[in-house]
Every structure is written in C-alpha cells, then in structure tokens.
Amino acid sequence: MRVSTASEAGNPKSPNEDWAKASEKLIVVLDGATARTGTGCVHGIAWYAAKLGSALAGLAADRDSELVNALMYGIRFTADQHRDTCDLSHPGTPSAATALLRLKDTALENFGAR
C-alpha cells in the first residue's frame, strides 16, 4: 500500500501551518489555527503544529493506548517545550484542529478535536 500526504501554505509568504503523517496503520492531521492577533508565543503556529503532530504520531503508534490519551499527553508535552518562553495563558496561543485515525486489528479508531 502506498500512502502519501500533501499540504501547501495558504499564503506563499508564510510558513505552512498544517502538518500530516500517514502510514498504513496511522493517520495524523493537524490544521494550525492561523493567528489573527498576537499569540504570546515566540515560536508560531507552524512550530506548534509540527511539534504536536510529531508527538501525537509517536504516542498514537502505541496501539494499546487510547487516542484521547495520546492527544492529552501530546498537548502537555508540546506545551512543556515552550512554557518558559511563551505565555500559554494568552487567548491567541497556538492551537490546531486535530484528527487521528488508527487501524487496530481489523477496526478503525478515530478521534478529532478542535
């Protein structure tokens, strides 16, 4: 089976704020929420989506873990990476819509959050 992803920045002058990983047994997609105001974060939305996406892909690869727990720990892990340099209580702090789809045995599990 061949699996691939493609994404393009909405504005060619801005970094792509989306992130995706796909394999035969796991798909992780993040749609970074474009900042319309200040974010309180020095890293930006693209950084956040990439860090959270990578964390989710690693955590969700453990098929014995619940997807909701992978999301919870992924958010916590990503927040910890910039808690000391960024204002995570800022209302515009980076965020992303997230979707996870995983094949476990013969069933598909899914979880989406916004």
Side-chain angles (χ1 to χ4, degrees):
M1 172 190 296
R2 182 178 298 195
V3 180
S4 65
T5 65
S7 181
E8 190 173 297
N11 179 342
K13 295 180 182 181
S14 299
N16 190 347
E17 297 174 343
D18 302 331
W19 189 93
K21 176 177 176 61
S23 68
E24 292 181 10
K25 297 187 181 211
L26 178 66
I27 298 172
V28 180
V29 177
L30 281 79
D31 180 4
T34 301
R36 306 285 184 225
T37 65
T39 65
C41 178
V42 299
H43 299 102
I45 309 301
W47 177 92
Y48 178 80
K51 292 294 183 180
L52 179 56
S54 295
L56 289 175
L59 291 163
D62 176 1
R63 296 185 331 174
D64 292 329
S65 69
E66 297 290 326
L67 291 178
V68 68
N69 289 335
L71 181 62
M72 177 183 67
Y73 289 119
I75 290 170
R76 188 176 295 161
F77 175 79
T78 305
D80 287 346
Q81 291 186 53
H82 65 143
R83 188 175 309 283
D84 294 336
T85 57
C86 302
D87 178 7
L88 301 185
S89 66
H90 190 285
T93 196
S95 63
T98 305
L100 301 164
L101 181 67
R102 179 173 64 187
L103 179 62
K104 186 173 181 181
D105 300 320
T106 59
L108 285 175
E109 301 175 289
N110 67 72
F111 182 81
R114 181 153 176 81

